[in-house]
Amino acid sequence: MAQDVTTQSRRKFLQFLAASPLCGAFAGLNPADAAAELAASPADAIDIFDLELTASGKIPVAHWGYLATGVNDDSTLRANRTAFEKYFVRSLRLQDVLDVDSSVEILGTRWPTPIVMAPVGSQKAFHADGELGSARAAKSRNHLQMLSTVSSTSIEEVTAAREAPLWFQLYTMGGWQGIRARLRRAEAAGSPVVVLTVDNVPGGDRHTLARAVRKDSRDCSVCHEGSGVAARTKPMAGGGTDERFGVTWEFLDRLQQETTMKVFVKGIVTAEDAERCVEQGVDGIIVSNHGGRGDDSGRGTIDSLAEIAPVVRGRTTLMMDSGIRRGNDIFKAIALGADAVLVGRPYIWGLGAFGQAGVERALDILTNELRVAMQSFGTRTIADIGRSNIQIG
Ligand SMILES: Cc1cc2nc3c(=O)[nH]c(=O)nc-3n(C[C@H](O)[C@H](O)[C@H](O)COP(=O)(O)O)c2cc1C
């Protein structure tokens, strides 16, 4: 009973917080998702936004700011959502969709869905389960998981929890020495793919984060010695030298020579860069603007995908992320030419709300919504979803 009262007052407080302009300033809650309700258990969450609201009350405010933030006033973050509204689905009728098959093959491996867990750094900042909780959820639901260079836990431990290889995302701190050491560890852990992130994240223009940090009364210096230093103390980010260089086409070439892993490039947003990636023989492209955290282009990545897919024409694996929140969004991305999509915040909201069980719930929600979308739009398999399913409004 006492717990009920506590839960109720917490719910009331969070609903007040979610509705208040104060929260909008730093929580990143989308007014369009104002219908969201707190979830008392994973099963309580009806959609991804219930997990977002629930996580917003459990994650310390500065860490929430780090998760929610975009660049400047978050206009690109918002564009990642609103851009989907330009694309309408053309539904086909009289199709046999009693049993839909949402599986996809990626580089010779079949996965039950095209939903991939994006590399998100520092996951212990959101829940004590951290990357290990995400890995156990990825295992129980059989999703492809990518691990960030700035993960809270090493690739060896996360691979052991996943009981299968991860794809490793690469940042370049520590010069070639640091990069080489990182690549050798990922290769030894069995990672088949290294994902080179090429959208620069300067970090200085994240106003939502800066405002949230001011509202956090804890002593941040206990864990953070300074932003650059903090990254280098992460288990996959340390070592190497102070050597600095640009992440350029020449760098990409050198990386391709250096590693036995396949190389994906994450952060491409234009057709000309995608064409160059294909010419340079990359194994995959991830159309991404880092969830609106990289540059402030004001452009949603679904628009970038619509530009890029006709140029790539199946010559390399094509994935997309930033703004995927519903099964319909996944359907639209596949229809516009993506082979798979990545989600970042959605599964982290699950993690922040309920640890591993919340990540599982987030993955289940998106998978179920995708399957319902496939049934309602008349496409039995992922291969049946194509450009003719979309009208641009
Ligand atoms: C808190 C946070 C940390 C992230 N860390 C990384 C990272 O370490 N490496 C990387 O390539 N992308 C990182 N990303 C970007 C994600 O991989 C992905 O591109 C993005 O979250 C997708 O957008 P979404 O959050 O709207 O789904 C991060 C995103 C967030 C929200």
Side-chain angles (χ1 to χ4, degrees), residues 131-140 145 147 153-166 185 188-191:
E131 285 85 354
L132 296 177
S134 295
R136 291 182 186 120
K139 176 181 160 44
S140 80
Q145 180 186 6
L147 187 75
T153 307
S154 71
I155 193 165
E156 294 82 7
E157 291 167 277
V158 184
T159 303
R162 175 65 183 83
E163 295 181 37
L166 314 158
R185 282 176 75 177
S191 296

Side-chain angles (χ1 to χ4, degrees), residues 129-182:
D129 284 0
E131 285 85 354
L132 296 177
S134 295
R136 291 182 186 120
K139 176 181 160 44
S140 80
R141 300 305 193 260
N142 197 13
H143 285 257
L144 170 58
Q145 180 186 6
M146 297 183 183
L147 187 75
S148 164
T149 288
V150 288
S151 57
S152 328
T153 307
S154 71
I155 193 165
E156 294 82 7
E157 291 167 277
V158 184
T159 303
R162 175 65 183 83
E163 295 181 37
L166 314 158
W167 289 18
F168 179 64
Q169 177 270 325
L170 184 72
Y171 282 138
T172 58
M173 61 281 265
W176 265 103
Q177 204 182 84
I179 292 168
R180 259 194 227 111
R182 231 165 268 147

Side-chain angles (χ1 to χ4, degrees), residues 254-275:
R254 196 169 166 192
L255 175 66
Q256 289 172 297
Q257 311 294 327
E258 177 67 43
T259 181
T260 54
M261 292 181 279
K262 292 193 184 305
V263 176
F264 272 48
V265 177
K266 175 172 182 280
I268 296 296
V269 288
T270 60
E272 56 270 37
D273 280 353
E275 176 61 33

Side-chain angles (χ1 to χ4, degrees), residues 180-346:
R180 259 194 227 111
R182 231 165 268 147
L183 293 173
R184 297 295 91 82
R185 282 176 75 177
E187 288 160 2
S191 296
V193 174
V194 60
V195 177
L196 175 68
T197 300
V198 297
D199 42 8
N200 286 328
V201 184
D205 298 328
R206 295 175 172 182
H207 297 177
T208 292
L209 170 60
R211 290 181 212 288
V213 168
R214 282 190 192 162
K215 291 184 171 67
D216 202 316
S217 54
R218 298 168 311 150
D219 179 4
C220 299
S221 67
V222 172
C223 302
H224 303 272
E225 292 170 49
S227 56
V229 181
R232 297 296 302 277
T233 59
K234 298 270 162 55
M236 300 305 296
T241 64
D242 291 334
E243 180 194 9
R244 290 177 72 233
F245 42 77
V247 176
T248 59
W249 294 105
E250 292 69 37
F251 174 86
L252 173 61
D253 184 50
R254 196 169 166 192
L255 175 66
Q256 289 172 297
Q257 311 294 327
E258 177 67 43
T259 181
T260 54
M261 292 181 279
K262 292 193 184 305
V263 176
F264 272 48
V265 177
K266 175 172 182 280
I268 296 296
V269 288
T270 60
E272 56 270 37
D273 280 353
E275 176 61 33
R276 184 137 184 206
C277 282
V278 172
E279 283 167 11
Q280 203 157 317
V282 305
D283 301 286
I285 294 170
I286 304 176
V287 178
S288 169
N289 62 21
H290 220 103
R293 304 159 75 79
D295 58 34
D296 195 10
S297 65
R299 190 177 191 221
T301 50
I302 193 74
D303 290 331
S304 299
L305 176 69
E307 173 183 312
I308 287 170
V311 171
V312 169
R313 297 190 315 277
R315 289 179 292 161
T316 193
T317 302
L318 187 60
M319 299 185 180
M320 175 265 181
D321 77 22
S322 302
I324 298 276
R325 300 289 179 267
R326 296 195 184 273
N328 276 10
D329 304 334
I330 302 170
F331 185 95
K332 289 176 185 178
I334 302 282
L336 287 167
D339 298 306
V341 299
L342 280 60
V343 290
R345 294 183 187 83

Side-chain angles (χ1 to χ4, degrees), residues 42 45 48 50-60 63-64 67 117-118 120-138 145 147 152-153 344-363 365:
I48 283 297
D50 291 347
L51 292 173
E52 178 185 24
L53 182 65
T54 307
S56 74
K58 293 190 178 182
I59 296 174
H63 295 182
W64 178 257
L67 176 60
M117 295 160 73
V120 171
S122 309
Q123 293 188 18
K124 279 196 175 162
F126 311 118
H127 191 279
D129 284 0
E131 285 85 354
L132 296 177
S134 295
R136 291 182 186 120
Q145 180 186 6
L147 187 75
S152 328
T153 307
R345 294 183 187 83
Y347 82 87
I348 299 296
W349 292 332
L351 182 70
F354 299 109
Q356 175 189 338
V359 179
E360 288 169 350
R361 182 65 188 144
L363 296 171
I365 287 171

